[in-house]
Amino acid sequence: MSGDSFAMPDIVKSMGLVFGDIGTSPIYALTAIFLLIPPTPENVMGILSLIIWTLTILVTVEYTYLAMHLGKKGEGGTIVLKETLLPLLKSGNQVAFVTLLAIIGISLFIGDGVITPAISILSAVEGILLIPGFEDMPQTYLMIIAGVIAICLFSFQSRGTEKVAWTFGPVMLIWFIALAGFGVVALISAPAVILAINPLYGIQYLFGHGLEGFLILSSVILVATGSEALYADMGHLGREPIIRAWYFVFIALALNYLGQGAFALTHPEAKNILFEMVFTNLQIVYVPFLILSIAATIIASQAMISGIFSIVYQGITTRIMPLLRIDYTSPQLRSQIYIDVMNWMLLFAVLLVILIFRSSNNLTLAYGLAVAGDMAITGILITMIMFHRGEIIRTLLAAGILMVNFSFLFATFHKIPHGGYISLLIAFIPFCVIMIYVNGQKRLAAALSPVPLEEFLPKFTRTYESVNRISGSALFFARDFRKLPQYIPRIMFTNNIVYDDNIIISIIRTEQPFGVTWGFTRELTPGLSIFEIYLGYMEIADISHILKEAEIDEKTIFYGMEDIVTAHVVWRVFAILKKLSPSMVQFYKLPSDRIHGVVTRVEM
């Protein structure tokens, strides 16, 4: 029993950190579906069955069973799947394909992350229209209120969510209890909808309505939005509390959707099903429920923002994204990070989306495409990992779910002309940045032709013995000490700047997500030694602290910078990215009074 009681706080915490997005889907999902089709008994039963089985197959099986049993030390996300899969692959083509898939997945996740806060906050704010006296409030006012909430939410990010995160879990717990409670109350009017648990109703609906039945999947997917965050945020809490919390969340969501279905049957004229259901059944608690729903959507948006920060950080450390300035907002939790550039770009995009679409109903037409794409990519990566590991039963299960993923993805394609293109356009921006950056780095590495260590050593020995040395230690940063960047020989051999103690620092990201090891590899020759730091690709490390612990008291830190000269449009963009992004020593926050950047001019 004591084990369970220890797990309880984590279970509640995971409701706040992880289940916000999927937990606020009941505000708009069924409303969006019954705007497209009439709530006849046959339609209601078919849709409810599809919803319950979507939550079962996509969230329970794909994410909490398959995806969460992959990965190491309880972290998750598209990049983790990519890093787990790459060592299992044989050919270069497969590696390139998986890397490209992962990049598309990350881009779609960011595209999804813009629409989530916009639709969640807008749909909750629209509940104001049911309060007596506010029925005629213009949509523009609602947009302004949603915009102000979004601005406050994003402005708060730099202070860190740790201070308020302890309230997220309890608020979401109350939200899920409220969802389940109102669902049960509404079920009393039409208890027969409980039979929709039978998957046959969903199958009959799909096959009985032809193309229309298939396309409705593009709205059914709305109930599963946020399941990617469930997996991407795993590192914050670990697997167990999230899986346990999901059982409770699943029951609460299922009861609420069944209740909404019962309400739609008895009130076919309802325009905003969840809010009207609460208003009709228990008018006295409507305003507190509305406030609770706005709080829940803010928490949902917060989970998405944190998820994007995590994914971008993983992108930076696995070298597919440019370095960005990162602030650590919590001294205890190193995973609580804030990325300034991403924060303000996301806010700008969210406000733009609110401005373009105006209402949550319009937004549901655009929402779901990025989610379905991201889920399909996760499905492909999981299936490939299971296949290469030789786990036959799980491979077959993953392949079956992948078929379901593709059904949802193809169904959402018809949203592209209705606004789905907006989420694709948003996702296209990070996609272009990543592709330009990755290819630019390859070009740059080729143009900078590094100096092999065996060529460097004899020259160093001669120079070290013949020039007047400077007392103290100098640090030189090199990604790989076997191939030294050109700036090091230039300082030593062209400018004759040699210290008594020259240490080449090499920061190596390992295939494991976590773990920090470091140490002097060896003294290669008198006056020159190698210090290697091995970091997990999700590890957030304090390099200054490591150097202090190793008792390295440096006088100067040298690092290489590139001045890119090019007439090519793409490489110009790359040059701008390099200029705007901090250097490695700034990224690792090394003492600025000792840093010297050495510029190398490169033509591309």
Side-chain angles (χ1 to χ4, degrees):
M1 184 63 211
S2 60
D4 287 348
S5 60
F6 279 122
M8 200 61 207
D10 281 346
I11 291 171
V12 173
K13 210 183 279 178
S14 70
M15 286 182 195
L17 280 175
V18 178
F19 292 106
D21 188 1
I22 202 165
T24 49
S25 298
I27 300 175
Y28 49 79
L30 264 187
T31 298
I33 292 170
F34 290 123
L35 276 174
L36 301 172
I37 57 170
T40 61
E42 186 207 354
N43 286 354
V44 169
M45 295 299 278
I47 294 299
L48 289 178
S49 180
L50 287 173
I51 286 174
I52 285 166
W53 284 96
T54 298
L55 290 175
T56 305
I57 295 169
L58 293 190
V59 189
T60 311
V61 185
E62 181 173 0
Y63 283 99
T64 61
Y65 176 64
L66 287 175
M68 285 193 174
H69 283 80
L70 292 171
K72 310 146 193 164
K73 290 205 183 168
E75 78 308 320
T78 312
I79 292 181
V80 173
L81 289 176
K82 170 178 89 92
E83 294 294 316
T84 308
L85 180 55
L86 289 184
L88 302 172
L89 300 176
K90 304 286 184 288
S91 77
N93 287 346
Q94 285 180 324
V95 170
F97 170 70
V98 167
T99 306
L100 179 66
L101 265 191
I103 292 169
I104 296 170
I106 295 159
S107 307
L108 289 172
F109 186 65
I110 294 171
D112 182 30
V114 169
I115 295 187
T116 297
I119 192 170
S120 307
I121 296 169
L122 248 183
S123 57
V125 167
E126 284 167 359
I128 293 171
L129 297 173
L130 289 177
I131 301 172
F134 289 90
E135 298 94 334
D136 300 323
M137 191 182 223
Q139 188 64 29
T140 310
Y141 288 5
L142 297 173
M143 287 162 60
I144 291 168
I145 295 169
V148 169
I149 291 173
I151 291 168
C152 292
L153 172 69
F154 282 94
S155 303
F156 195 75
Q157 294 303 316
S158 60
R159 302 210 181 112
T161 55
E162 196 196 9
K163 299 173 189 68
V164 287
W166 61 272
T167 61
F168 288 0
V171 170
M172 290 310 291
L173 179 62
I174 296 165
W175 169 250
F176 287 121
I177 291 169
L179 285 182
F182 286 116
V184 170
V185 171
L187 267 173
I188 296 166
S189 62
V193 297
I194 292 174
L195 297 173
I197 292 169
N198 184 341
L200 287 175
Y201 284 104
I203 294 165
Q204 277 168 352
Y205 182 85
L206 279 180
F207 290 106
H209 288 77
L211 186 63
E212 180 199 290
F214 176 67
L215 293 180
I216 206 72
L217 288 177
S218 66
S219 295
V220 173
I221 190 76
L222 296 178
V223 304
T225 57
S227 38
E228 184 64 24
L230 189 130
Y231 177 49
D233 282 341
M234 223 164 95
H236 293 298
L237 295 159
R239 188 171 74 198
E240 278 308 306
I242 295 179
I243 292 177
R244 287 185 176 193
W246 170 243
Y247 298 140
F248 172 77
V249 171
F250 178 79
I251 292 165
L253 291 175
L255 285 172
N256 189 266
Y257 285 123
L258 290 169
Q260 286 195 47
F263 185 80
L265 271 181
T266 49
H267 300 76
E269 72 296 332
K271 288 279 175 284
N272 191 331
I273 300 175
L274 176 68
F275 288 125
E276 287 183 40
M277 176 175 99
V278 174
F279 189 78
T280 308
N281 291 332
L282 275 168
Q283 195 173 336
I284 190 164
V285 295
Y286 181 71
V287 173
F289 178 78
L290 179 65
I291 293 166
L292 178 64
S293 72
I294 292 173
T297 55
I298 291 171
I299 292 169
S301 308
Q302 176 60 58
M304 201 69 198
I305 298 165
S306 300
I308 287 180
F309 287 166
S310 301
I311 285 275
V312 170
Y313 181 76
Q314 291 173 29
I316 291 170
T317 59
T318 51
R319 301 205 172 110
I320 57 170
M321 282 185 169
L323 294 178
L324 298 168
R325 213 189 84 204
I326 288 174
D327 296 308
Y328 307 111
T329 56
S330 157
Q332 284 79 34
L333 285 171
R334 293 294 277 168
S335 57
Q336 295 251 325
I337 55 176
Y338 167 70
I339 303 174
D340 198 277
V341 182
M342 285 306 300
N343 190 57
W344 299 118
M345 281 168 68
L346 279 174
L347 173 62
F348 173 74
V350 167
L351 295 176
L352 194 66
V353 163
I354 291 174
L355 205 63
I356 293 170
F357 287 96
R358 298 184 61 81
S359 77
S360 63
N361 286 338
N362 293 340
L363 258 170
T364 55
L365 296 174
Y367 197 33
L369 186 62
V371 183
D374 202 16
M375 283 183 172
I377 287 171
T378 301
I380 294 170
L381 296 177
I382 291 173
T383 309
M384 286 179 77
I385 291 170
M386 295 302 180
F387 175 74
H388 284 285
R389 282 187 178 176
E391 297 185 25
I392 296 163
I393 293 170
R394 283 188 180 176
T395 304
L396 294 172
L397 183 61
I401 292 170
L402 188 56
M403 295 299 115
V404 178
N405 287 142
F406 279 128
S407 306
F408 278 107
L409 181 61
F410 293 139
T412 51
F413 283 168
H414 87 103
K415 287 188 169 186
I416 294 174
H418 302 290
Y421 65 89
I422 298 277
S423 63
L424 291 183
L425 278 177
I426 295 164
F428 190 62
I429 297 167
F431 179 76
C432 288
V433 168
I434 294 171
M435 293 307 281
I436 290 172
Y437 183 74
V438 169
N439 290 306
Q441 288 288 75
K442 275 186 198 152
R443 272 290 180 94
L444 192 58
L448 281 170
S449 54
V451 179
L453 187 64
E454 53 271 21
E455 237 175 74
F456 173 84
L457 281 177
K459 276 189 183 172
F460 174 81
T461 309
R462 283 199 300 275
T463 312
Y464 188 76
E465 286 163 0
S466 60
V467 301
N468 289 330
R469 299 194 295 269
I470 303 164
S471 65
S473 302
L475 306 185
F476 300 85
F477 276 84
R479 190 169 284 180
D480 179 357
F481 70 86
R482 287 176 295 268
K483 296 194 206 90
L484 295 175
Q486 281 182 356
Y487 82 90
I488 299 179
R490 217 170 81 213
I491 291 170
M492 293 179 179
F493 311 149
T494 313
N495 303 334
N496 286 345
I497 298 171
V498 180
Y499 281 72
D500 278 338
D501 210 2
N502 302 277
I503 304 168
I504 293 169
I505 307 269
S506 186
I507 298 173
I508 299 144
R509 290 283 175 178
T510 64
E511 283 179 2
Q512 299 302 319
F514 294 104
V516 181
T517 50
W518 46 264
F520 282 99
T521 318
R522 58 192 165 278
E523 190 173 49
L524 297 175
T525 179
L528 180 71
S529 46
I530 307 288
F531 185 77
E532 289 182 298
I533 303 171
Y534 288 90
L535 300 177
Y537 60 84
M538 289 175 71
E539 195 64 68
I540 296 167
D542 185 340
I543 302 294
S544 295
H545 180 68
I546 291 174
L547 295 176
K548 258 199 203 89
E549 259 191 51
E551 295 176 2
I552 295 174
D553 184 20
E554 74 282 349
K555 220 175 196 180
T556 319
I557 300 171
F558 292 106
Y559 69 98
M561 291 165 70
E562 300 86 16
D563 176 24
I564 298 166
V565 185
T566 179
H568 196 291
V569 176
V570 174
W571 303 138
R572 269 194 190 158
V573 174
F574 176 66
I576 293 165
L577 285 176
K578 289 291 279 186
K579 268 205 184 80
L580 292 177
S581 61
S583 67
M584 195 160 101
V585 287
Q586 288 166 314
F587 178 74
Y588 286 117
K589 298 195 168 57
L590 291 162
S592 53
D593 53 342
R594 297 176 208 167
I595 289 175
H596 293 280
V598 183
V599 181
T600 307
R601 199 155 193 204
V602 185
E603 293 204 6
M604 283 174 81

